[in-house]
Amino acid sequence: MDAVICCPLVQGAESFLQRWAQRYALFLASGTPEEELIQIVARRNLAHLFQGVYGAPRTKDRIIEEILRTRGWRPQQAVVIGDSMTDCLAAAAFDVPFIGRVRPGEVNPFAATDGVPTVADLDELARRWEQLAA
C-alpha cells in the first residue's frame, strides 16, 4: 500500500480532478479492495475530490449500476474513463459513454472497439473534455 501511496499520479490527474470536481460529481471505481482503496485515497489527500470511492468485492459494472441508480441518472448523464477493457465493458453494459486512456507506446486495448475515443493522459483529457463529453 505504501508503494501505491508514494507512486506518481497519472499525468494531469491532480489538475483534472481539482478542476472538474467543482463542476461534476466524480467517482473512483477500482478492482482494489474497497477498504484499502479508501485508505489510499485519503492518505493521498484526494478524498475531497470524489463523491464516492468503490472497490472490490463489487465489480465495476455493479458499481456503475449503483451510481446510476442512487443518483437517478440516465446513462447519457455519466461517462466512464478507464484504461482497461473491463472498464469499457462495464460502461457498455449500461450504455454509459466511455473514454479510454492508452499509455503512449502501449498497445491500444480499445482498437477493436468501434468508436471508443482515447487519450494518452489526463492533460489531454482536460484539453479535449468539452469535445469528448459532448
Side-chain angles (χ1 to χ4, degrees):
M1 187 185 312
D2 289 335
V4 172
I5 291 166
C6 294
C7 75
L9 292 173
V10 170
Q11 176 68 34
E14 189 166 10
S15 61
F16 181 89
L17 293 171
Q18 293 285 353
R19 177 177 180 189
W20 296 107
Q22 296 173 27
R23 288 186 59 191
Y24 299 103
L26 303 179
F27 299 86
L28 178 62
S30 174
T32 301
E34 188 166 288
E35 288 182 26
E36 188 176 320
L37 185 62
I38 290 169
Q39 289 178 15
I40 291 166
V41 170
R43 288 184 54 192
R44 292 195 78 146
N45 297 315
L46 299 172
H48 67 285
L49 300 172
F50 296 103
Q51 298 291 313
V53 175
Y54 302 92
R58 286 183 274 200
T59 59
K60 290 185 183 176
D61 58 337
R62 293 302 119 209
I63 293 168
I64 291 169
E65 178 185 43
E66 181 178 333
I67 292 168
L68 293 174
R69 183 178 38 79
T70 59
R71 292 287 173 148
W73 290 346
R74 294 182 314 277
Q76 303 78 17
Q77 292 176 289
V79 63
V80 172
I81 302 161
D83 61 2
S84 72
M85 278 307 294
T86 302
D87 300 328
C88 185
L89 294 171
F94 294 95
D95 295 320
V96 174
F98 177 78
I99 300 169
R101 184 176 80 87
V102 179
R103 294 170 188 91
E106 290 191 4
V107 174
N108 179 353
F110 315 111
T113 309
D114 223 12
V116 170
T118 61
V119 295
D121 56 40
L122 295 185
D123 281 336
E124 181 181 355
L125 180 60
R127 287 191 304 275
R128 297 179 54 204
W129 178 251
E130 298 299 335
Q131 169 203 1
L132 292 171

